[in-house]
C-alpha cells in the first residue's frame, strides 16, 4: 500500500494546490542550474529518506543514517569468525549507470503517491550529462553521477534484493553496489550466487562476468571488500588502497617542496590519522613498513636540501634518525597501532587513557590510569 500522499516544501517551489506540487520552470528544463538543482535534490532526499529508511534491510550499510563502512566490515569479520568462509564476491557491472529508470520510478512509486514528486524525480533522472564535444545528452538509464539523490535511489532499487536474500536466510553484506554473501561451504555459495543471478537478470542489471566469483577466504588469494583485503583469517589494505595512500603521501613529501620540514610533517600527519582510523585493524607488519617508507620520503627531502641526489640512503639514516622526525611531531602508524591495542584492553577494565597533545608522537604520549 502506498504511503499517504507526500507533500514537500521545496525552495522555490510554490506550495501545493489541490494536492499537487508545482515545480518552478527552471526545475523542468534539461539544463538545470547546478546550485538550484542540488538544493531541490537535497530537499527531496530529506523528505524521501524517512519514508524508505525503515524498509531497508539490516545488512545494507551504504549511504544510510547512522551506518557506514566500518559497520559493514565489522559484520563481515563476525561472519568470518563464525565459520562462513565461502564468499560470493559479486560485482554489478556499471550499476549506477545501468539502473532501468522506469523500474526505479516504479519502485519509488510503491511508497510515494504524489505525481508531482515522481515527475520531479523523473526529470532529475533524465537531466542528462555534459560531454566534451558532444554537448548536453539526456540519460536514458542509470542515475546522474554525483547527484545528491543517486545513493538513495540506488538503495531503493537494490532493497528488493536485500529483502529476498534475507528472507532465504543468506548472510549478505552490502554497501551501495558493493556486496558479498558469506556461506558455510562451496555448495551453499554456488546456490546463493544462482539466486543473485536470477534476481539481477529480472531487475535489468548485469553481474560482471570476470569480477563475480566464489572465494574460499581461508585460502591464498582471498577477497577485497571496502578497501580491505581478507585472507586466511587476516586483513590488510587492498593494493589499490595502498597505492592511493602512497600517492597522497608522495604529493605531500615531494623533494622539491620548499616548506619547512615541520610543516610537511603536519600535512602528512593529517593523512596518516585519517588513514589509520580506517585501516587500524590491519595486520601489524603493514604499519611498520609504511613508517619506514614515510621516513625514507622525508629523508630524501632533507638529502636534496643538503645538495644530495636521489633517494635517502647510507649515512642519511644516521644523519636524520627516527628520533629526529619524532621530535618534529611525525606520527608513527605502528605506535598508533600499539596505542590502540593498549586502549582496547584497558578501556574494557574501566581504566581511562589520555594522550597528551594532538600530535600523539613517541615523545609526547602520556598515559594515566584511574
Amino acid at each position: 500500500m502506498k504511503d499517504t500522499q507526500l507533500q514537500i516544501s521545496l525552495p522555490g517551489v510554490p506550495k501545493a494546490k489541490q494536492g499537487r506540487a508545482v515545480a518552478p520552470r527552471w526545475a523542468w528544463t534539461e539544463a538545470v542550474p547546478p546550485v538550484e538543482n542540488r538544493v531541490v535534490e537535497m530537499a527531496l532526499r530529506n523528505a524521501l529518506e524517512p519514508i524508505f529508511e525503515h524498509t531497508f534491510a539490516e545488512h545494507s550499510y551504504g549511504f544510510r543514517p547512522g551506518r557506514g563502512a566500518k559497520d559493514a566490515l565489522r559484520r563481515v569479520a563476525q561472519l568470518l569468525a563464525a565459520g562462513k568462509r565461502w564468499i560470493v564476491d559479486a560485482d554489478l557491472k556499471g550499476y549506477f549507470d545501468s539502473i532501468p529508470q522506469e523500474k526505479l520510478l516504479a519502485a519509488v512509486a510503491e511508497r510515494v503517491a504524489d505525481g508531482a514528486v515522481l515527475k520531479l524525480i523523473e526529470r532529475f533522472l533524465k537531466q542528462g550529462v555534459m560531454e566534451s564535444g558532444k554537448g548536453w545528452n539526456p540519460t536514458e538509464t542509470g542515475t546522474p553521477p554525483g547527484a545528491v539523490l543517486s545513493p538513495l535511489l540506488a538503495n531503493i532499487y537494490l532493497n528488493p534484493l536485500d529483502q529476498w536474500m534475507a528472507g532465504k536466510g543468506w548472510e549478505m553484506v552490502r554497501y551501495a553496489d558493493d556486496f558479498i554473501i558469506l556461506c558455510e561451504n562451496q555448495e551453499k555459495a554456488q546456490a546463493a550466487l544462482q539466486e543473485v543471478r536470477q534476481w539481477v537478470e529480472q531487475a535489468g542489471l548485469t553481474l560482471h562476468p570476470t569480477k563475480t566469483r566464489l572465494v574460499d577466504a581461508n585460502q591464498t588469494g582471498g577477497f577485497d571488500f571496502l578497501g580491505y583485503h581478507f585472507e586466511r583469517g587476516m586483513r590488510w589494505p587492498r593494493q589499490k588502497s595502498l597505492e592511493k595512500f602512497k600517492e597522497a603521501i608522495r604529493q605531500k613529501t615531494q623533494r622539491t617542496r620548499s616548506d619547512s620540514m615541520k610543516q610537511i610533517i603536519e600535512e602528512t600527519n593529517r593523512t596518516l590519522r585519517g588513514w589509520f582510523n580506517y585501516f587500524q585493524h590491519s595486520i601489524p607488519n603493514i604499519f611498520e613498513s609504511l613508517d619506514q617508507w614515510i621516513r625514507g620520503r622525508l629523508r630524501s627531502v632533507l638529502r636534496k636540501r643538503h645538495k644530495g641526489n636521489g633517494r635517502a640512503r647510507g649515512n642519511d639514516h644516521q644523519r636524520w634518525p627516527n628520533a629526529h622526525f619524532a621530535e618534529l611531531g611525525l606520527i608513527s602508524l605502528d605506535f598508533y597501532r600499539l596505542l590502540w591495542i593498549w586502549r582496547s584492553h584497558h578501556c574494557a577494565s574501566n581504566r581511562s587513557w589520555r594522550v597528551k597533545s594532538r600530535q600523539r608522537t613517541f615523545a609526547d604520549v602520556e598515559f594515566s590510569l584511574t
Side-chain angles (χ1 to χ4, degrees):
M1 180 179 293
K2 294 182 179 180
D3 290 353
T4 303
Q5 190 172 39
L6 181 64
Q7 300 290 342
I8 302 177
S9 177
L10 303 176
V13 180
K15 291 183 179 179
K17 297 180 180 179
Q18 297 180 355
R20 293 181 62 84
V22 182
R25 184 175 181 179
W26 57 259
W28 297 89
T29 60
E30 293 294 335
V32 181
V35 175
E36 295 163 324
N37 179 34
R38 193 170 184 85
V39 170
V40 174
E41 281 195 80
M42 290 177 66
L44 269 174
R45 182 197 63 189
N46 292 340
L48 293 172
E49 192 171 66
I51 295 174
F52 288 95
E53 174 59 29
H54 73 277
T55 71
F56 291 155
E58 180 66 24
H59 60 253
S60 170
Y61 296 92
F63 304 104
R64 294 182 60 188
R67 289 168 170 255
K70 289 185 178 180
D71 300 303
L73 291 167
R74 189 176 299 111
R75 181 56 179 160
V76 171
Q78 291 171 349
L79 292 171
L80 288 171
K84 297 185 180 296
R85 63 186 182 90
W86 274 93
I87 313 298
V88 178
D89 188 4
D91 185 279
L92 290 172
K93 187 176 180 181
Y95 173 62
F96 284 90
D97 296 329
S98 61
I99 300 175
Q101 292 181 355
E102 295 304 319
K103 290 185 177 182
L104 173 57
L105 287 168
V108 175
E110 290 180 5
R111 293 191 172 273
V112 177
D114 195 314
V117 172
L118 294 172
K119 186 66 177 178
L120 188 56
I121 295 173
E122 182 180 8
R123 297 298 290 186
F124 278 123
L125 290 174
K126 297 184 181 299
Q127 65 183 291
V129 294
M130 180 67 72
E131 295 186 31
S132 178
K134 297 182 180 180
W136 196 270
N137 294 321
T139 49
E140 300 299 330
T141 60
T143 59
V148 176
L149 267 179
S150 290
L152 175 59
L153 294 176
N155 272 338
I156 291 172
Y157 197 66
L158 284 182
N159 189 45
L161 172 63
D162 295 337
Q163 302 296 347
W164 191 32
M165 298 302 285
K168 290 181 175 292
W170 300 114
E171 294 287 3
M172 185 166 83
V173 180
R174 182 173 70 82
Y175 189 95
D177 62 329
D178 195 2
F179 67 91
I180 58 175
I181 305 168
L182 298 93
C183 305
E184 297 171 352
N185 53 56
Q186 186 175 6
E187 291 73 22
K188 289 186 177 182
Q190 289 173 335
L193 178 56
Q194 186 58 37
E195 296 274 6
V196 171
R197 288 190 189 280
Q198 181 181 342
W199 186 92
V200 166
E201 291 175 5
Q202 294 175 350
L205 301 173
T206 305
L207 286 176
H208 198 290
T210 57
K211 293 183 179 180
T212 299
R213 61 198 184 113
L214 300 184
V215 179
D216 183 352
N218 282 359
Q219 299 299 317
T220 302
F223 66 98
D224 295 339
F225 188 61
L226 298 181
Y228 271 95
H229 178 78
F230 292 82
E231 181 180 323
R232 294 169 292 164
M234 301 176 288
R235 58 170 146 165
W236 57 85
R238 68 171 186 163
Q239 191 60 36
K240 286 185 178 180
S241 298
L242 279 175
E243 291 171 359
K244 183 178 180 180
F245 170 72
K246 286 189 172 183
E247 182 57 31
I249 297 298
R250 288 189 186 99
Q251 294 300 316
K252 299 177 187 297
T253 58
Q254 296 181 55
R255 280 175 273 180
T256 55
R257 284 195 62 170
S258 59
D259 305 287
S260 69
M261 180 55 63
K262 190 171 184 63
Q263 183 176 347
I264 293 174
I265 286 176
E266 287 176 354
E267 293 182 15
T268 301
N269 281 346
R270 285 195 286 271
T271 299
L272 296 179
R273 288 192 190 96
W275 191 86
F276 179 83
N277 187 46
Y278 189 78
F279 288 106
Q280 60 186 294
H281 299 284
S282 301
I283 55 177
N285 63 321
I286 289 291
F287 305 111
E288 185 177 1
S289 62
L290 286 175
D291 280 341
Q292 294 173 357
W293 178 78
I294 293 166
R295 288 191 294 264
R297 296 282 306 176
L298 296 175
R299 288 189 182 99
S300 296
V301 174
L302 294 173
R303 178 182 175 86
K304 182 173 179 61
R305 292 180 180 181
H306 288 77
K307 311 303 180 183
N309 295 321
R311 298 178 181 177
R313 56 186 181 272
N315 293 333
D316 293 334
H317 294 269
Q318 287 74 43
R319 191 175 187 181
W320 301 292
N322 296 352
H324 173 74
F325 300 108
E327 291 171 1
L328 290 174
L330 178 66
I331 285 174
S332 165
L333 292 173
D334 191 47
F335 188 69
Y336 252 31
R337 177 186 65 84
L338 295 172
L339 181 61
W340 175 75
I341 294 174
W342 185 92
R343 182 188 65 178
S344 299
H345 288 315
H346 286 74
C347 283
S349 304
N350 196 31
R351 292 178 172 86
S352 65
W353 66 284
R354 178 165 60 92
V355 179
K356 180 182 177 182
S357 156
R358 294 181 64 187
Q359 295 289 341
R360 294 182 174 94
T361 63
F362 287 105
D364 57 21
V365 172
E366 185 177 298
F367 301 101
S368 65
L369 299 181
T370 59

